[in-house]
Amino acid sequence: MKQIIVHAPATVANIVCGFDVLGLALNEPYDKLVMRLLPEKTIRIINKDNFMLPVEPEKNVFGGALLAMMRELGDNIGFEIESTKNIMPGSGIGSSAASAAGVVVGANHLLNSRFSKLDLVRFATYGEEIASGARHADNIAPCIYGGVTLIRSNDPLDIIPLNFPPLFVTVIHPQIEVKTSDARQILKKQILLKDAITQWANVAGLVTGFIKEDYDLIGRSLHDVLIEPVRSMLIPGFAELKKNSIEAGALGGGISGAGPSVFMLSKDEATAKKVEQAMRSVYEKIGVDFHIHLTTVNNQGVSIH
Ligand code: HSE
């Protein structure tokens, strides 16, 4: 039986100002899947970790994404997935997207690449919907394409991979769980025109900063007047994490996806290490358990081994 190993990277959605439209992929951490093709229309999920995620395909992110793909396949085939998640569910670094994106890229490889990357993003959003209640693609697109991606439109999907300069990413994960669906529920449904103007100016500035490899412009644009003021209340020590990281030399940063992880971008590794120390100190001082990653932007997206 043909077997493949799939690595699906963590991702940072929103990149501060680009709620639901910007995201980037990380080199660490990543989930690992072992996948096999089955000769009947079925989905078999075997969890090799302790997260106790459901194994019924209709309730599971893998299942949601694969069923969307299988609806367009017609063939009498199915998939077995052995999943080892290293990206903790509810951490804010794209745990559900890594499952959804990893499984569809793996399945497509087993099917000799019948589908385009855009199709794969579309299928994976059905998995994301099971976990977060919304078919947003800002984790899935960078997970599949690698690098930094802009989702100009969800329907029809329009994904633009962006050029970007070398970036180091420090991500701190306080050991609390924030459900994306809850973190979406608390957002204001209406915003002021003056705030919208600030926000789209910063999204345009950030995209331009990436393309022109202008670190100062990236730093100036990492500013969010819509989402951060609401969601930061869910994150212990948020204001201090941000202030101390910027004092340590970070370009800027904020909530990763729906949180509770907080990420910071730095120009070089030495600065990112200082930022890591600054972030650690905040949580050591207030006594919050955490995991921390110092990594870079992943250019490749989901990979097959
Ligand atoms: N854009 C989504 C949100 C990402 O912020 O709700 C969730 O990971």
Side-chain angles (χ1 to χ4, degrees):
M1 208 174 1
K2 192 173 169 190
Q3 170 177 308
I4 55 166
I5 294 173
V6 182
H7 290 179
T11 46
V12 171
N14 302 339
I15 324 186
V16 181
C17 51
F19 179 70
D20 278 2
V21 303
L22 285 172
L24 59 81
L26 299 173
N27 276 313
E28 295 278 343
Y30 57 85
D31 284 350
K32 197 174 138 186
L33 310 177
V34 179
M35 290 186 67
R36 300 177 194 95
L37 210 51
L38 299 175
E40 52 182 328
K41 252 193 185 161
T42 182
I43 297 171
R44 200 178 300 149
I45 299 163
I46 305 158
N47 288 326
K48 294 274 189 177
D49 48 47
N50 298 322
F51 294 123
M52 317 276 285
L53 294 171
V55 291
E56 300 88 341
E58 331 52 66
K59 294 189 194 155
N60 179 288
V61 171
F62 295 126
L66 280 179
L67 286 168
M69 176 186 262
M70 286 159 81
R71 280 196 287 275
E72 291 186 21
L73 264 176
D75 319 27
N76 212 17
I77 50 161
F79 301 93
E80 181 175 273
I81 306 116
E82 273 178 38
S83 159
T84 310
K85 286 195 78 62
N86 299 309
I87 311 169
M88 220 182 271
S91 55
I93 47 173
S95 180
S96 48
S99 296
V103 84
V104 293
V105 173
N108 196 40
H109 188 85
L110 288 168
L111 297 170
N112 300 318
S113 304
R114 273 197 227 175
F115 295 104
S116 70
K117 276 190 178 174
L118 208 58
D119 287 332
L120 298 180
V121 172
R122 184 164 51 80
F123 300 143
T125 57
Y126 286 92
E128 181 71 276
E129 189 176 24
I130 290 182
S132 69
R135 291 185 53 206
H136 60 89
D138 51 342
N139 292 102
I140 286 166
C143 194
I144 290 181
Y145 284 73
V148 182
T149 54
L150 166 70
I151 296 101
R152 194 204 56 81
S153 157
N154 264 305
D155 192 14
L157 263 178
D158 187 4
I159 294 166
I160 299 109
L162 302 177
N163 174 64
F164 59 95
L167 286 168
F168 288 79
V169 191
T170 316
V171 186
I172 194 159
H173 173 207
Q175 298 297 287
I176 50 173
E177 188 182 346
V178 171
K179 284 200 165 46
T180 300
S181 45
D182 295 341
R184 293 180 80 83
Q185 202 67 45
I186 60 171
L187 297 176
K188 290 186 203 149
K189 303 290 173 281
Q190 289 182 332
I191 58 171
L192 294 175
L193 180 61
K194 77 170 177 46
D195 290 339
I197 293 167
T198 306
Q199 198 81 1
W200 62 55
N202 281 314
V203 174
L206 187 56
V207 169
T208 309
F210 284 133
I211 295 172
K212 292 176 79 172
E213 306 198 358
D214 180 337
Y215 287 112
D216 285 341
L217 180 55
I218 291 172
R220 293 203 298 285
S221 308
L222 287 169
H223 185 54
D224 169 17
V225 294
L226 298 180
I227 312 296
E228 184 180 290
V230 182
R231 284 186 174 167
S232 57
M233 291 184 294
L234 304 173
I235 302 171
F238 179 79
E240 221 180 343
L241 281 174
K242 198 167 160 180
K243 181 173 157 283
N244 294 8
S245 298
I246 289 168
E247 277 169 16
L251 296 168
I255 304 169
S256 176
S261 288
V262 174
F263 80 102
M264 288 289 150
L265 298 181
S266 299
K267 231 191 310 205
D268 54 65
E269 193 173 8
T271 310
K273 282 191 173 148
K274 286 186 199 151
V275 172
E276 180 189 354
Q277 197 44 54
M279 292 176 114
R280 274 179 187 281
S281 305
V282 172
Y283 277 175
E284 280 163 4
K285 199 175 85 193
I286 58 177
V288 173
D289 287 340
F290 62 92
H291 289 164
I292 194 157
H293 304 277
L294 198 172
T295 186
T296 46
V297 179
N298 171 321
N299 277 304
Q300 193 184 4
V302 176
S303 57
I304 311 288
H305 302 264

